[in-house]
Amino acid sequence: MKRKLISAIGIAGMVVSVAACGGEGGSGGSDKGADAKELTVWLTVDAQNNWPELVKAADAAVQKKHPGLKINHEYYGWPDKNAKLDAVLATDKAPDVVEMGNTEMLGYMVKGAFAPLDTADFDNSDAWLDGLKASVTYEGKTYGVPYYAGGRVANWRKDVAASVGVKTSPKTYQELTDALDKIQKKRGDKFSAWYQPTRDWYAAMSFVYDAGGAIATESGGQWKASLSSPESLKGLKEFKNVVDTYMHGDKTKDESDRYIVYGQGKSAMIFAAAWEGATAEDPKNDKTGKLKGNLENFVMPGPSGKNMPVFLGGSDLAVPVKSDAQALAAEWINAFTGPSGQKGLMAKGNLPNNKTDLATLKNDPKTAVPAIAAESNWFVPMAPGWGQVEKAQILQTMLQSIGTGKKSVEAAAKEADAAIDKVINTK
């Protein structure tokens, strides 16, 4: 399953009123379209390619309650989904359910693109994972339902580690760097003991949050960038140390093809989405013929001495405010994301949307690592202008400047703070 979270961009020309479509009391909800005869659901190709049977099961559950209901599905790739969504939201032909990356939600909630929902209508809403719950909440109202989550873990080659005498995965950051130092020394500077793409801001910000820093902080309703704080700088400097010491690939790259590079056999470790190791060892990606059964996930230890806080990525499902079938849309979402749906998603290697199911994964050796890793997590600032920060790739630009040595950590962070402050409070 390949994920790429694209920033929420402005919805040009769309003037909508959430209040006109929301229900009374609670966190929203609407009876609009309870008797609609047709439902249109937009999902990404992840669902189409990896769990189409779960989509069919949700359809069947809703159609059983509403005989004759026609459900249409459209599937989109992550890079082009938002442009298509923005275009259709400016018309009167909006879909009834749309899948969003969790960092994409905020820009659309700020613009009033989605209808408020009543959390009481959704199973396990009282146990939603904190990072996912935050992604669907704006100014005290709920505008989406968490679908599934994806954490980040460390993954390394057991054979390469064993070649330097390391037989078990590291439990501390010192153990990790000691092992990587041995690997790097043995393999030389054409090999990356740790393949860490410089522009991978999800990994870099984990170092920042592990050090007690943050991308931005809020006070009195206003957000201010804080990458230049002593804590954030400490985290950024350690990230630079990792890139300088262990990353011997192209230092202008992002993480989009990391699993492909990993499969080429020129690196010993990645810190990545939990699915990337398994995808790298797929025969079509494994160019070494040695990765199958030889890769191991482990919880990433942080320099702080605690588990590294990881970005909790994932998807949410929302109901456009212009939908004519909001009530049925909510029913379909609950059928898709409820207990049976979560069970199916977990079987496909995803993290569930709630703490109750997550706890069960911790007890299974096959799923314990991503489940434990997900317990320590961070999420993007829920500021009105965050979508503009992502769209401008401010963090990626900063990290490339740091990783390539174009600018010092302090200068790059100061420049990034200034750029973030210009837009982060802008709706």
Side-chain angles (χ1 to χ4, degrees):
M1 179 182 64
K2 186 172 185 295
R3 291 292 315 257
K4 188 171 185 180
L5 299 180
I6 312 298
S7 63
I9 60 177
I11 305 167
M14 186 178 69
V15 180
V16 295
S17 172
V18 173
C21 297
E24 295 181 4
S27 56
S30 173
D31 292 329
K32 181 180 179 182
D35 58 352
K37 302 302 181 185
E38 194 167 333
L39 194 67
T40 298
V41 178
W42 281 20
L43 299 172
T44 67
V45 292
D46 296 333
Q48 183 181 34
N49 296 335
N50 297 300
W51 44 87
E53 71 278 11
L54 302 183
V55 177
K56 291 179 181 178
D59 288 353
V62 176
Q63 288 172 327
K64 184 176 181 180
K65 292 177 62 178
H66 303 277
L69 175 66
K70 181 181 180 182
I71 303 179
N72 307 303
H73 292 281
E74 296 185 28
Y75 296 93
Y76 296 93
W78 286 101
D80 59 358
K81 173 182 67 67
N82 284 7
K84 295 179 183 296
L85 179 60
D86 292 348
V88 77
L89 288 179
T91 73
D92 293 323
K93 296 182 179 180
D96 303 299
V97 176
V98 62
E99 177 181 350
M100 306 294 296
N102 59 355
T103 66
E104 299 174 337
M105 284 291 296
L106 183 58
Y108 288 82
M109 293 190 294
V110 169
K111 296 289 185 179
F114 299 142
L117 302 172
D118 189 341
T119 56
D121 292 337
F122 303 97
D123 295 318
N124 287 321
S125 60
D126 57 344
W128 285 342
L129 297 178
D130 294 339
L132 297 186
K133 182 178 180 179
S135 74
V136 299
T137 306
Y138 182 65
E139 294 187 339
K141 292 187 177 183
T142 300
Y143 292 97
V145 175
Y147 171 10
Y148 67 94
R152 279 164 171 72
V153 299
N155 180 287
W156 75 357
R157 289 180 58 175
K158 292 186 290 184
D159 60 336
V160 176
S163 73
V164 295
V166 179
K167 303 293 180 64
T168 59
S169 59
K171 299 296 187 290
T172 69
Y173 194 70
Q174 187 65 55
E175 289 179 359
L176 173 63
T177 54
D178 285 348
L180 292 177
D181 287 343
K182 293 176 183 178
I183 292 170
Q184 195 63 67
K185 182 178 180 180
K186 181 173 182 176
R187 293 298 182 112
D189 60 10
K190 291 185 178 180
F191 186 87
S192 294
W194 176 347
Y195 180 75
Q196 178 51 63
T198 309
R199 291 172 65 88
D200 177 11
W201 64 276
Y202 300 112
M205 293 305 105
S206 286
F207 280 90
V208 167
Y209 282 91
D210 180 70
I215 300 171
T217 57
E218 185 266 342
S219 178
Q222 289 291 300
W223 288 84
K224 186 170 179 59
S226 55
L227 293 169
S228 295
S229 72
E231 295 83 2
S232 294
L233 289 174
K234 181 180 179 180
L236 288 170
K237 287 178 179 178
E238 183 54 34
F239 180 76
K240 176 176 170 55
N241 180 55
V242 166
V243 172
D244 288 348
T245 307
Y246 307 120
M247 167 62 176
H248 297 283
D250 182 350
K251 293 186 179 180
T252 66
K253 286 178 67 67
D254 65 17
E255 71 281 9
S256 61
D257 66 346
R258 172 170 44 210
Y259 68 99
I260 294 176
V261 176
Y262 196 31
Q264 294 170 350
K266 296 181 180 179
S267 51
M269 173 187 150
I270 56 175
F271 174 39
W275 55 266
E276 291 188 53
T279 306
E281 71 176 20
D282 186 296
K284 66 176 178 288
N285 296 319
D286 178 12
K287 304 305 179 183
T288 70
K290 301 177 180 179
L291 299 187
K292 187 68 174 178
N294 198 28
L295 298 182
E296 179 180 33
N297 280 339
F298 59 93
V299 178
M300 180 69 186
S304 68
K306 301 178 181 179
N307 290 343
M308 183 79 87
V310 298
F311 174 76
L312 197 60
S315 279
D316 301 321
L317 297 173
V319 180
V321 75
K322 289 190 174 183
S323 165
D324 292 325
Q326 292 179 20
L328 282 178
E331 283 190 43
W332 190 91
I333 290 173
N334 191 48
F336 190 51
T337 63
S340 61
Q342 292 302 307
K343 183 178 180 180
L345 288 165
M346 288 189 292
K348 296 290 185 177
N350 300 295
L351 293 177
N353 67 2
N354 66 89
K355 299 173 185 176
T356 305
D357 286 327
L358 185 69
T360 66
L361 296 182
K362 290 167 57 179
N363 299 323
D364 184 341
K366 295 180 181 179
T367 55
V369 168
I372 292 171
E375 289 184 309
S376 178
N377 60 75
W378 61 271
F379 195 62
V380 299
M382 292 301 287
W386 177 253
Q388 296 182 59
V389 175
E390 282 203 45
K391 181 184 178 184
Q393 298 194 355
I394 295 171
L395 296 179
Q396 293 95 321
T397 299
M398 173 190 72
L399 294 171
Q400 184 169 324
S401 294
I402 290 172
T404 59
K406 182 179 179 180
K407 293 178 181 175
S408 68
V409 173
E410 290 83 358
K414 183 177 181 181
E415 184 177 274
D417 277 349
I420 291 171
D421 284 340
K422 286 182 180 178
V423 299
I424 196 167
N425 292 297
T426 304
K427 290 188 177 182

